[in-house]
Amino acid sequence: MQEKVFRDPVHNFIRIDDPMILALIDTREFQRLRRIKQLGVANTVFHTAEHSRFTHSLGVYEIARQFAAHLINFKTQTPGDGGWQPEERRVLLAAALLHDLGHGPYSHTFEHIFKTDHEKYTQQIILSSETEVNQVLRTVSDDFPSQVASVIAKTYPNPQVVSLISSQIDADRMDYLLRDAYYTGATYGMFDLFRIIHLMRPYVGGIAFEDKGMTTVEDYVVSRYQMYGQVYFHPVSRGMEVLLTHLLERAMSLYERSKTDSFVDGHFVSEALVPLFEHQISITEYLALDDATIIANISNWRNAPDRILADLATRFLDRKPLKSIEIADDVRDLLPKLVELIQAAGFDERYYTAENDSFDTAYDSYNPNSKKTKTPIEVIQQDGTLVELSSESTLVQALRGRTYGNARFFFPNEMLSKHADWDLMAPMYEEFQHYVRNGKLIRP
């Protein structure tokens, strides 16, 4: 086929020369990703962060395409030599394109509330004979859908393909760091993608990077560290996520009550959300959900007869996030008192307070005893031996295992208000504020 080109602000051009890839892009399941924001509620903080899972997925495909174009220079010569196998290109590109297919609306907040797993849904969508994606993949071979799904599941027999899609330095992370930095205006998320690709070398156990370019790989690790600290863990964005979480929890609670309480009308939930609330949802019903489905319901809930649901919906739509303070371990015992004051001020603590811990590590070396083992970044030396990145880089050594993020307590903004002495709530507000100083919980 004649090469198809998509213009892209991050990669300039996204090139497609395989009719199967183009057909996958045109499927209804992939087009749905246009209607799911990549960063969820982060656009309420970074107003230009309106990019979608669709644009990110195309970007991951393009980086994987560049991987394959580079690795062809190191193709296998004899069985078991650890060289790149050119026939893996198609499964690599398909997995890169489809890796986020199973994301629900508002992505990770959605997963937390409804106990879904986007990777498992991605595999189900790929494997289901009911989907257009499955039908396109089967044009390659009957077992091609299972091959692509196994890359997502990290069980594909070739570790090189898996690590290119899912590791500490992969096509997914590379695109979302560059793309999220571009759309949020956070320049500290940038790194030299071209240089990193040209440092890649295949080996039997996966992908390594030439030691002469270790500084470039260090830049990537630092970029990830900075993006998490400044963008992904932003306290206002987390406040909006907590608000959305409580809003959906309240909706689910009311829906459950409607089954036994005649005074609660369960029809406040749209037909599209009912299977989700019933926890019996088919692939077809799941694929009908997107950000617009959730927003349409929340817009209706603004006028709900339930006071809490209506208030939470209004706060979410009008961007009135819950405020927060940082919690240190030595003052955590003060939280029950804060909750007591919030309750006394008339707020239901189940929906207006939350403890939210957001932590991640800048870089993890391999630890076989860890519950979430991460593959290390391997550096290949001049003599061909492999060493783990942090053993060669003093910068990465300093970041290895280091956590970033913090624990925060969320509460209604009203608790920080200044009220007249005659206001019945004034004493609660004033006492609450004795525990807050410079955004942190303190002991008065």
Side-chain angles (χ1 to χ4, degrees):
M1 63 170 282
Q2 183 177 358
E3 183 179 74
K4 176 82 172 178
V5 176
F6 290 79
R7 290 301 300 264
D8 184 81
V10 176
H11 303 300
N12 196 16
F13 294 110
I14 293 174
R15 303 178 183 279
I16 298 170
D17 57 8
D18 187 333
M20 176 203 65
I21 296 296
L22 193 59
L24 287 173
I25 293 172
D26 287 339
T27 60
R28 65 187 299 256
E29 295 86 17
F30 192 78
Q31 290 293 318
R32 166 183 167 271
L33 297 180
R34 292 181 183 271
R35 305 189 298 277
I36 298 178
K37 286 188 177 69
Q38 171 71 11
L39 287 181
V41 298
N43 67 318
T44 60
V45 179
F46 305 95
H47 66 278
T48 55
E50 297 284 343
H51 54 304
S52 68
R53 293 274 168 189
F54 179 92
T55 60
H56 164 61
S57 296
L58 283 180
V60 176
Y61 156 83
E62 173 58 23
I63 292 176
R65 187 194 67 80
Q66 293 181 34
F67 286 171
H70 169 71
L71 291 172
I72 196 69
N73 298 310
F74 305 93
K75 62 183 178 181
T76 186
Q77 301 298 317
T78 59
D81 64 3
W84 174 249
Q85 300 173 42
E87 62 271 20
E88 298 283 23
R89 181 179 188 269
R90 261 193 156 183
V91 72
L92 169 68
L93 298 188
L97 184 72
L98 303 177
H99 79 285
D100 269 354
L101 205 58
H103 267 289
Y106 292 100
S107 298
H108 300 295
T109 302
F110 180 89
E111 287 193 7
H112 172 71
I113 292 297
F114 298 109
K115 313 302 180 188
T116 60
D117 183 326
H118 74 273
E119 289 189 354
K120 290 183 179 178
Y121 267 107
T122 297
Q123 295 166 51
Q124 290 178 40
I125 294 166
I126 289 171
L127 295 172
S128 173
S129 59
E130 299 177 2
T131 65
E132 292 180 6
V133 160
N134 178 270
Q135 294 165 19
V136 171
L137 293 174
R138 286 173 65 88
T139 62
V140 177
S141 68
D142 286 343
D143 68 341
F144 194 60
S146 62
Q147 292 180 42
V148 175
S150 69
V151 176
I152 307 300
K154 304 178 185 64
T155 58
Y156 190 69
N158 187 331
Q160 295 172 354
V161 176
V162 174
S163 63
L164 291 170
I165 301 298
S166 182
S167 63
Q168 290 198 78
I169 182 166
D170 58 28
D172 180 25
R173 285 166 173 78
M174 288 183 188
D175 183 80
Y176 76 59
L177 289 175
L178 293 173
R179 192 167 300 277
D180 295 349
Y182 176 87
Y183 281 104
T184 60
T187 54
Y188 35 70
M190 308 302 289
F191 57 90
D192 192 342
L193 173 64
F194 178 84
R195 177 67 171 157
I196 285 181
I197 291 175
H198 282 264
L199 292 169
M200 299 174 81
R201 299 291 181 268
Y203 74 99
V204 173
I207 300 294
F209 299 84
E210 286 190 11
D211 60 354
K212 66 181 181 182
M214 192 166 58
T215 301
T216 308
V217 179
E218 289 175 336
D219 286 344
Y220 164 84
V221 174
V222 171
S223 293
R224 185 173 184 270
Y225 175 78
Q226 292 174 324
M227 282 294 286
Y228 269 83
Q230 300 299 316
V231 175
Y232 303 133
F233 290 166
H234 194 287
V236 177
S237 180
R238 286 164 63 184
M240 289 298 291
E241 289 176 356
V242 169
L243 190 58
L244 178 59
T245 297
H246 286 340
L247 172 58
L248 293 173
E249 286 174 341
R250 182 63 176 180
M252 285 197 297
S253 175
L254 290 171
Y255 182 81
E256 288 299 318
R257 279 174 51 191
S258 72
K259 296 178 180 180
T260 57
D261 188 341
S262 60
F263 290 100
V264 179
D265 184 359
H267 291 94
F268 72 94
V269 175
S270 72
E271 186 177 338
L273 284 189
V274 169
L276 188 65
F277 278 39
E278 290 286 350
H279 305 289
Q280 294 180 340
I281 187 166
S282 67
I283 288 293
T284 300
E285 291 166 335
Y286 184 85
L287 288 168
L289 302 175
D290 54 30
D291 288 0
T293 310
I294 300 296
I295 283 293
N297 277 270
I298 294 175
S299 296
N300 289 332
W301 298 342
R302 188 201 285 265
N303 301 310
D306 180 76
R307 180 183 61 83
I308 293 177
L309 183 65
D311 181 59
L312 294 174
T314 298
R315 289 173 187 258
F316 183 78
L317 293 171
D318 295 348
R319 195 193 176 276
K320 306 294 182 185
L322 296 179
K323 285 288 186 178
S324 67
I325 49 177
E326 190 173 343
I327 311 165
D329 289 339
D330 61 342
V331 292
R332 189 175 289 274
D333 62 295
L334 300 176
L335 291 180
K337 179 60 178 177
L338 296 190
V339 172
E340 179 184 316
L341 291 168
I342 291 168
Q343 285 181 281
F347 297 98
D348 187 327
E349 80 280 4
R350 293 173 297 175
Y351 301 108
Y352 289 92
T353 69
E355 288 184 59
N356 178 272
D357 298 351
S358 290
F359 294 99
D360 204 344
T361 52
Y363 175 75
D364 277 347
S365 53
Y366 178 69
N367 179 3
N369 297 318
S370 172
K371 291 182 179 179
K372 292 186 176 181
T373 297
K374 296 182 180 180
T375 55
I377 298 176
E378 300 281 12
V379 175
I380 186 167
Q381 298 181 308
Q382 296 297 316
D383 62 1
T385 59
L386 294 172
V387 293
E388 185 266 320
L389 177 63
S390 66
S391 66
E392 290 292 296
S393 166
T394 55
L395 175 59
V396 176
Q397 172 67 35
L399 291 175
R400 187 182 68 179
R402 179 178 176 180
T403 59
Y404 47 90
N406 53 34
R408 305 190 75 85
F409 176 70
F410 291 83
F411 54 88
N413 183 48
E414 289 89 336
M415 298 305 298
L416 298 180
S417 301
K418 301 296 182 183
H419 284 250
D421 292 338
W422 50 262
D423 192 312
L424 291 175
M425 298 301 130
M428 275 71 78
Y429 294 136
E430 290 175 0
E431 186 174 357
F432 182 93
Q433 290 163 28
H434 286 314
Y435 293 93
V436 178
R437 186 77 49 79
N438 298 323
K440 294 184 178 181
L441 176 60
I442 63 166
R443 199 175 297 278

